Structures are given as structure tokens and as C-alpha cells.
Amino acid sequence: GPDWSQNPAGPGSFYLFTRSGDAWRQRLRVQPSDGIPQDGFGHRLCGFQDMVVVGAPYHDHSELTDAGAAYIYLLRPLRTRDLAVRDP
């Protein structure tokens, strides 16, 4: 889940966990490559198979304050690849 609400000074992040039996293990913590404090990265997520789209509703663009961005990640075992950042 997003940690920007607990740490609004950071850009935010999302976490990937795996489950083995009754135990959960954190495998990844992902932050945006261009994130800045208070972007809200991780506010919303959507996943399908090995792809995750992550929202950052307060990401700024040039002269547009809080315009937002969507980040697309391709998940592979224990790593991520930042595929794209979609600006408004």
C-alpha cells in the first residue's frame, strides 16, 4: 500500500509481497524514478498478470501543479522495469 500518507514528505512507494503458507514476505519496494515529495505515488494501483499501473495524483508537470501521472511497471521475479510514465 502507499506510504505517502504516513510519510507525506516522500514521493510514495508500493510494495510487492509473496505468500508461502501463512507467512507473507516483502519482495519489493518500488518508488518512482522521477518522484518528488508529496506526489502521492501508490495512491491507486491496478495489476494484471505481471504488469502494474501506479497512480501519482499530485505529480507536477512543467507548469501544471498536481496534474498527476500514471507509471507502468513490468514485474519480473524480484525486480521491476519502469516501462513508461504517462503524463496528462
Side-chain angles (χ1 to χ4, degrees):
D3 68 357
W4 63 271
S5 61
Q6 288 82 29
N7 181 15
S13 58
F14 80 89
Y15 299 86
L16 177 67
F17 290 84
T18 58
R19 183 177 167 184
S20 178
D22 291 336
W24 287 92
R25 180 176 172 198
Q26 180 181 323
R27 304 300 292 217
L28 290 173
R29 177 177 184 239
V30 179
Q31 291 187 298
S33 56
D34 65 345
I36 60 170
Q38 300 179 350
D39 272 357
F41 179 83
H43 185 70
R44 296 280 190 263
L45 322 155
C46 181
F48 179 72
Q49 295 179 351
D50 62 354
M51 189 175 299
V52 177
V53 179
V54 182
Y58 308 112
H59 185 79
D60 297 337
H61 301 278
S62 302
E63 298 175 14
L64 301 173
T65 301
D66 294 344
Y71 295 78
I72 303 169
Y73 291 93
L74 181 61
L75 301 175
R76 295 290 185 224
L78 303 181
R79 60 191 168 98
T80 64
R81 186 171 139 224
D82 189 349
L83 292 179
V85 177
R86 178 69 181 135
D87 297 335

